[in-house]
Amino acid sequence: MQTAETLYQAEQKQVDTDHHTPTAGAMTGHILSNLHIQQNKLNQARFALKGDAKVFADGEITAMYHRERALFDELNQLMLDEGETIPTTTQEFLDYTFLSEQGQLKFESTATILFEIVKDCDAQLMFVTRGIALADKESKFALAAFCAS
């Protein structure tokens, strides 16, 4: 009988192999990690913005946060349906994200905070584009279709 520890180690070995290949599952793991970290950053922005920007944050950034949360949950389930591994721990999200967090961002100007959100969306788009190409190549059409939508 395999223990939880041996199952986890086997999973991590496969994840490491997939990330060095790379595969659609590995690329989607990056997408999931980026979405997770961006949700933290969106919260930081919506609580930090002041004045007229606060009105924007309360509406648009909050809506963006909720859309990303729903996409995150839906993509996780799709990955599981495809037999892929998903990141589930804080360390895994940190290991696979290509976004960065800075505590001092909440004290920056409105323009800087909003630019950071745009920059993160641009970075995510790069991974989505790569994920679609890999999913098509591996005939993981549900992943490709989801990422393309």
Side-chain angles (χ1 to χ4, degrees), residues 37 41 44 97-102 105 116 119-120:
I37 297 302
K41 293 178 77 171
Q44 182 187 39
T97 189
F98 279 79
L99 305 183
S100 62
E101 296 176 292
Q102 303 90 25
L105 185 63
E116 184 73 13
K119 186 177 79 168
D120 288 347

Side-chain angles (χ1 to χ4, degrees), residues 36-126:
H36 184 79
I37 297 302
Q38 188 169 28
Q39 288 172 55
N40 290 343
K41 293 178 77 171
L42 290 170
N43 267 335
Q44 182 187 39
R46 68 188 184 135
F47 297 136
L49 291 170
K50 307 283 187 255
D52 292 339
K54 179 72 173 155
V55 174
F56 174 76
D58 287 344
E60 294 304 315
I61 293 178
T62 298
M64 186 177 183
Y65 169 86
H66 289 295
R67 279 191 308 273
E68 286 200 4
R69 180 76 227 172
L71 289 170
F72 177 82
D73 290 343
E74 188 178 343
L75 186 52
N76 270 312
Q77 188 58 57
L78 182 57
M79 286 279 285
L80 293 172
D81 292 347
E82 289 280 347
E84 297 287 348
T85 301
I86 58 172
T88 58
T89 67
T90 301
Q91 190 59 55
E92 289 170 331
F93 291 124
L94 292 173
D95 288 345
Y96 300 122
T97 189
F98 279 79
L99 305 183
S100 62
E101 296 176 292
Q102 303 90 25
Q104 70 271 18
L105 185 63
K106 63 186 165 195
F107 300 107
E108 294 286 356
S109 68
T110 296
T112 299
I113 293 170
L114 295 177
F115 178 75
E116 184 73 13
I117 292 170
V118 171
K119 186 177 79 168
D120 288 347
C121 290
D122 189 48
Q124 288 188 68
L125 185 57
M126 177 183 64

